[in-house]
Amino acid sequence: MNYNAGFFDVIIVGGGHAGCEAALACARIGLKTVLFAINLDSIAMMPCNPNIGGTSKGHLVREIDALGGEMAKNIDKTFIQSRMLNTGKGPAVYSLRAQADKFEYAKQMKKTLENTNNLYIKQGEVVQILVEKNKVCGVILESGAIYNSKAVVICTGTYLKSRCLFGQTIIQSGPNGFKSSNKLGDSLNKLGIKMFRFKTGTPARIDKRSIDFSKMQIQYGDKKIVPFSFETSFLEREQIPCYLTYTNAQTCEIIKQNLSKSPMYSGIIEGTGTRYCPSIEDKVVRFSDKLRHQVFIEPEGENTNEMYAAGLSTSLPEDVQIKMYQTVTGLEKCEFMRTGYAIEYDCIDATQLKLSLEFKNIAGLFSAGQFNGSSGYEEAAAQGIIAGINAAMYVQKKSPLIIDRSEGYIGVLIDDMVTKGSNEPYRMLTSRAEYRLLLRQDNADLRLTPKGFEVGLIKSERYEKFLDKQEKIRREIERVSKVFIKADEKTNKILCEHNSHEISNGLYLSELIKRPQMNYEILEAIDNARPNLDKQVREQVNIQIKYEGYINRQINQVEKFKRLENKKLPLDLDYKNVKGLSIEAAEHLNKIKPENVGQALRIAGVSHADISVLLIFLKHQS
């Protein structure tokens, strides 16, 4: 029997990484917010690899932090190993990655949620979204409780009609054995929301005592730890090592002999899996010429014997999994603590969303995370903070926060999903960002902190520190460009020591910094007037001077991009009535309903000729 249980400004459905960021954003902005999770023990859970960051994902975490989110701060509290990846390349692709203590990570995030003003945490399964006149007005729980609200954010992750599979074994549950959500999907279908069936997977967890680490290559963390959060000034702790080993021909042979027993290859699994995080079965089939594959053995926490076998994700039968794992060097006597499995679940076609992550046809209903068809904790959290911010803006009757492709990886992520859609779980990659030299992880605060301040997530004290940092960078770049270095013995000695050719005439310090072998730090010895600046400021000075030409080139590209992004399109426009558009373009444009001409250009099936037609149309309308 239904009963009225109360009113909230915003309701968050789900307590995963998207739900946590969405809930915190709404509450910190000042709205009365409630987060519902099927089981409170699943809040901020890491059912797959317990790490945060990595290639391109580290950029997302830094951007979440710059906007005022929590993920970066939480991993800084709970990491057990930290490494900066891709340091052999340019700063555009540097990416921070940290192995987390999965239990501490969830514990600390839940603690943060529980102690945030305006935020209420409740255990309960949402089974229905209430909508009146195409406007969301609340939810109904399995218990019959009706909660009314002005906005709802759906962050159900991989729980909708989820089932876990290995071999012929099918378990109707969410990840890690938690209850699945089997009724909410029907409610969404009745609202006309288009759903997909996607799949992801995870490897077995191995008892540390059964592993022979002496046969593996030890992987240490960085000696100098770089924090994720711009607010974390210093980190130091004893790090826990990870280990590298490899599969071999025997491993591949066992997999090939048992492919028919894998639910993916036997036809039991209906959903589409991610190509960028394939199971070991997929690797053996797709890369049949490779004789071995990397396997990283990583701890799940500081006080557990469970070890994660990254690279051995599988849904083969349990007995085959054990046999296959025991062919891997160092795992000959391994004991399973948890069996690997594939998980299949319902998610939406994200082209039904606006760039604000609000549903186009249901006002006040927002969506974030794996429910939108993405993969990964970082992608989920990035969408979560944007959906939360925009739910708050909607309630306050303010304009939504839209981060475009030139402003952040978050913008690339959301634009890709909303504009192009995805027929497989979406994963963020540096190659997806056209302006990645501008969208570095090191300058995420310079790009996005003002936006976080504007919406109310960055407090005045932090913003003042940010403005001070920005000014120090500006002043130091200006000073360095005016420092003239003489061609003396001391200068040429330093240049020779770093394999850079000597100078016979004086140069400005900025010109020396731009040399491939030189940088701002090396040249400190000949810079007598250098002020005492912190590491973040020095880093920005070096990068902005060293890559000035490339940065300016991308800035010019962005200016052209912005001209199209600033040309807004009516959301109620019927493109079939726009004369000169191709039939294909009109169909695709009517499906996506782009918010501007730039977004229209990125839709498959829309040509530059069609864009010219749209520009003429807009000119006549003005």
Side-chain angles (χ1 to χ4, degrees):
M1 183 175 178
N2 292 345
Y3 69 95
N4 195 320
F7 173 84
F8 289 87
D9 290 314
V10 184
I11 293 171
I12 310 297
V13 183
H17 303 279
C20 289
E21 294 292 351
L24 288 168
C26 291
R28 287 168 172 172
I29 287 171
L31 301 185
K32 186 181 178 184
T33 306
V34 62
L35 180 150
F36 289 107
I38 291 178
N39 190 322
L40 295 189
D41 294 335
S42 68
I43 287 177
M45 182 178 67
M46 294 177 154
C48 202
N49 195 343
N51 76 75
I52 295 295
T55 302
S56 76
K57 292 168 177 280
H59 293 66
L60 291 174
V61 181
R62 282 286 183 84
E63 291 180 359
I64 292 165
D65 183 70
L67 288 170
E70 193 65 24
M71 178 173 266
K73 293 183 180 67
N74 204 51
I75 187 60
D76 283 348
K77 294 176 191 172
T78 60
F79 78 98
I80 55 179
Q81 188 189 99
S82 178
R83 297 178 72 184
M84 185 69 75
L85 307 181
N86 302 325
T87 54
K89 302 176 182 178
V93 294
Y94 286 7
S95 284
L96 190 58
R97 180 190 188 274
Q99 193 72 13
D101 184 316
K102 67 185 293 182
F103 309 103
E104 276 300 308
Y105 185 93
K107 175 183 172 183
Q108 290 297 327
M109 185 65 84
K110 185 168 181 281
K111 180 180 177 181
T112 299
L113 293 168
E114 290 174 345
N115 290 282
T116 296
N117 293 335
N118 306 313
L119 181 54
Y120 300 78
I121 314 297
K122 296 182 183 293
Q123 182 164 294
E125 181 183 350
V126 173
V127 297
Q128 187 177 345
I129 305 294
L130 297 175
V131 176
E132 292 182 3
K133 297 180 181 179
N134 297 323
K135 188 175 181 179
V136 76
C137 57
V139 302
I140 301 178
L141 269 59
E142 189 177 37
S143 64
I146 299 174
Y147 287 86
N148 294 113
S149 69
K150 296 177 183 177
V152 174
V153 185
I154 304 175
C155 307
T156 51
T158 61
Y159 283 83
L160 277 195
K161 293 186 178 177
S162 56
R163 59 178 189 165
C164 297
L165 310 94
F166 51 93
Q168 298 296 310
T169 303
I170 301 175
I171 302 168
Q172 303 295 330
S173 80
N176 278 16
F178 284 103
K179 179 184 174 185
S180 58
S181 174
N182 294 316
K183 297 178 181 178
L184 180 57
D186 294 333
S187 168
L188 299 175
N189 283 323
K190 288 177 183 176
L191 292 173
I193 294 173
K194 184 180 177 183
M195 311 285 282
F196 285 149
R197 195 80 171 148
F198 276 177
K199 165 258 175 189
T200 186
T202 190
R205 305 317 195 264
I206 304 166
D207 190 326
K208 179 169 66 176
R209 296 169 298 178
S210 67
I211 301 173
D212 187 349
F213 294 110
S214 67
K215 296 181 178 180
M216 301 179 179
Q217 299 172 31
I218 194 164
Q219 306 281 301
Y220 293 109
D222 292 341
K223 290 182 179 179
K224 290 185 179 179
I225 301 169
V226 178
F228 266 106
S229 175
F230 290 101
E231 289 197 283
T232 306
S233 57
F234 178 74
L235 281 179
E236 188 173 326
R237 65 149 294 158
E238 186 177 345
Q239 299 184 64
I240 299 174
C242 300
Y243 298 86
L244 173 63
T245 184
Y246 295 88
T247 63
N248 50 50
Q250 189 181 0
T251 317
C252 295
E253 188 57 34
I254 289 172
I255 292 168
K256 289 175 183 177
Q257 289 174 2
N258 291 279
L259 271 179
S260 61
K261 298 177 184 177
S262 167
M264 178 62 77
Y265 287 90
S266 65
I268 296 175
I269 287 180
E270 303 164 3
T272 305
T274 173
R275 78 174 70 188
Y276 299 108
C277 190
S279 66
I280 188 64
E281 296 98 285
D282 281 343
K283 290 180 187 176
V284 168
V285 172
R286 287 162 51 186
F287 309 108
S288 56
D289 58 320
K290 291 197 72 172
L291 300 178
R292 66 176 191 172
H293 298 275
Q294 286 185 330
V295 178
F296 288 94
I297 305 299
E298 301 170 316
E300 295 235 303
E302 196 163 9
N303 299 301
T304 179
N305 283 337
E306 289 190 73
M307 303 292 286
Y308 185 92
L312 283 178
S313 177
T314 181
S315 60
L316 287 165
E318 187 175 51
D319 61 325
V320 178
Q321 286 189 36
I322 294 169
K323 187 178 179 183
M324 178 259 289
Y325 271 59
Q326 289 183 345
T327 65
V328 177
T329 303
L331 301 183
E332 292 87 352
K333 296 180 180 180
C334 71
E335 292 286 343
F336 278 19
M337 296 180 73
R338 306 188 199 220
T339 304
Y341 62 86
I343 184 167
E344 196 177 36
Y345 55 93
D346 282 352
C347 58
I348 66 161
D349 177 353
T351 61
Q352 297 167 100
L353 303 173
K354 301 177 185 177
L355 290 170
S356 63
L357 295 180
E358 182 185 16
F359 278 90
K360 293 172 182 174
N361 298 324
I362 304 174
L365 182 61
F366 295 80
S367 176
Q370 286 190 256
F371 177 65
N372 283 352
S374 65
S375 66
Y377 311 137
E378 302 83 359
E379 288 92 337
Q383 294 170 68
I385 193 170
I386 296 300
I389 288 170
N390 285 330
M393 297 300 104
Y394 171 84
V395 170
Q396 296 177 331
K397 296 183 175 160
K398 296 179 180 178
S399 298
L401 172 65
I402 307 296
I403 296 174
D404 70 38
R405 300 182 72 90
S406 70
E407 295 172 322
Y409 271 68
I410 292 176
V412 175
L413 163 68
I414 293 174
D415 184 68
D416 276 353
M417 296 182 67
V418 169
T419 304
K420 303 174 184 178
S422 183
N423 57 7
E424 63 185 40
Y426 180 95
R427 182 176 181 178
M428 192 69 244
L429 303 168
T430 52
S431 60
R432 298 189 193 274
E434 304 94 320
Y435 311 112
R436 54 185 171 273
L437 187 54
L438 299 180
L439 308 183
R440 307 181 310 276
Q441 63 164 18
D442 61 80
N443 70 352
D445 61 333
L446 300 177
R447 293 183 279 114
L448 298 179
T449 300
K451 294 181 183 291
F453 178 71
E454 186 178 345
V455 299
L457 285 182
I458 299 294
K459 301 307 176 189
S460 296
E461 183 182 358
R462 179 175 176 182
Y463 192 58
E464 289 300 321
K465 289 180 180 178
F466 161 76
L467 292 177
D468 181 61
K469 173 185 174 180
Q470 196 175 46
E471 178 61 16
K472 284 177 177 175
I473 294 167
R474 186 197 66 77
R475 285 203 307 261
E476 181 62 358
I477 290 174
E478 184 178 309
R479 185 193 70 83
V480 167
S481 67
K482 296 176 180 177
V483 173
F484 191 77
I485 303 297
K486 295 179 180 179
D488 56 23
E489 184 179 345
K490 183 179 178 181
T491 299
N492 283 325
K493 182 182 177 184
I494 290 173
L495 294 175
C496 288
E497 285 174 352
H498 292 86
N499 299 315
S500 185
H501 60 81
E502 296 181 1
I503 57 174
S504 54
N505 296 310
L507 287 174
Y508 287 106
L509 183 59
S510 56
E511 294 302 311
L512 287 177
I513 290 172
K514 290 178 182 180
R515 289 189 173 190
Q517 306 88 347
M518 293 289 106
N519 61 44
Y520 179 79
E521 301 296 345
I522 291 171
L523 294 167
E524 182 176 11
I526 55 172
D527 184 7
N528 299 324
R530 177 166 298 189
N532 184 22
L533 300 170
D534 67 38
K535 184 180 177 181
Q536 288 188 17
V537 172
R538 299 196 308 270
E539 180 183 41
Q540 285 306 309
V541 170
N542 182 64
I543 291 173
Q544 290 186 33
I545 291 174
K546 197 171 212 27
Y547 298 97
E548 180 185 20
Y550 298 103
I551 289 171
N552 288 338
R553 189 183 305 167
Q554 286 220 326
I555 289 172
N556 290 333
Q557 293 170 351
V558 167
E559 288 173 355
K560 294 177 183 177
F561 162 82
K562 290 280 191 182
R563 285 199 284 271
L564 291 180
E565 297 296 302
N566 291 333
K567 295 184 183 297
K568 303 300 180 183
L569 290 166
L571 292 178
D572 58 353
L573 175 62
D574 185 349
Y575 289 90
K576 290 180 181 177
N577 297 329
V578 178
K579 293 182 180 179
L581 277 181
S582 67
I583 295 173
E584 181 185 13
E587 288 178 353
H588 288 296
L589 288 164
N590 273 331
K591 177 189 174 186
I592 302 298
K593 294 290 184 183
E595 297 179 31
N596 55 65
V597 175
Q599 187 184 6
L601 182 58
R602 294 188 292 276
I603 297 172
V606 177
S607 68
H608 284 275
D610 294 315
I611 295 301
S612 297
V613 171
L614 282 180
L615 291 172
I616 294 169
F617 171 81
L618 288 175
K619 187 175 181 180
H620 288 316
Q621 295 297 307
S622 60

